[in-house]
Amino acid sequence: MEQIPFAIALAAGMLAVLNPCGFALLPGYVALLVADAPGTRTGRLPALGRALATTVAMTGGFVAVFGLFALIATPLALSLERYLPWATIVIGAVLAALGIWLLAGRTLAVPGVRAPSPGRATRSLRWAAAYGTAYATASLSCTVAPFLAV
């Protein structure tokens, strides 16, 4: 009986990948990384190797984001538990304001972060790990409530 909370947390973590905020990002990018690139070996075995390596790298990025979030947010949430309903209202209002800002044709710039430029897609394990991090960040917006509840 003592292991039931861990089983629930494990199941919730595995389901975090299948949320609507991030799931749309997955198929296209995995297809891009697994597809044969000019100058690479073709065939099933090389494609399987690329798929496995990409999966490990993306999963590493995903786990890093959720692990870091758990280390930071859980103690904070436990100490600020009574204020969390108000925090969700404030976060929702800020996101709505940012949406209106973007609909008005303005842009958001984050210091030190440059916008992606169009061009050839990068196929590297480092980029796959970064993509896993971005995927987890998008997923976290949908899964933060169940994640904190578990």
Side-chain angles (χ1 to χ4, degrees):
M1 281 302 221
E2 293 177 16
Q3 295 177 349
I4 290 177
F6 294 112
I8 292 171
L10 179 65
M14 291 185 329
L15 290 174
V17 176
L18 303 175
N19 69 76
C21 293
F23 191 70
L25 300 172
L26 188 58
Y29 195 74
V30 169
L32 173 71
L33 288 175
V34 174
D36 295 330
T40 62
R41 294 184 342 202
T42 60
R44 285 186 187 211
L45 197 56
L48 181 61
R50 285 191 303 273
L52 290 173
T54 300
T55 299
V56 168
M58 288 179 67
T59 301
F62 196 93
V63 169
V65 168
F66 272 79
L68 184 63
F69 179 79
L71 289 174
I72 294 170
T74 301
L76 186 64
L78 292 175
S79 64
L80 301 174
E81 188 174 9
R82 64 183 174 161
Y83 302 112
L84 287 180
W86 292 104
T88 58
I89 292 171
V90 170
I91 291 169
V94 168
L95 289 175
L98 287 173
I100 292 169
W101 178 270
L102 292 172
L103 284 173
R106 298 192 171 114
T107 61
L108 296 175
V110 178
V113 176
R114 88 188 145 93
S117 59
R120 259 180 41 151
T122 303
R123 295 175 192 225
S124 70
L125 294 181
R126 182 176 163 217
W127 186 249
Y131 187 81
T133 301
Y135 183 94
T137 304
S139 297
L140 201 55
S141 64
C142 278
T143 59
V144 70
F147 190 72
L148 289 175
V150 169

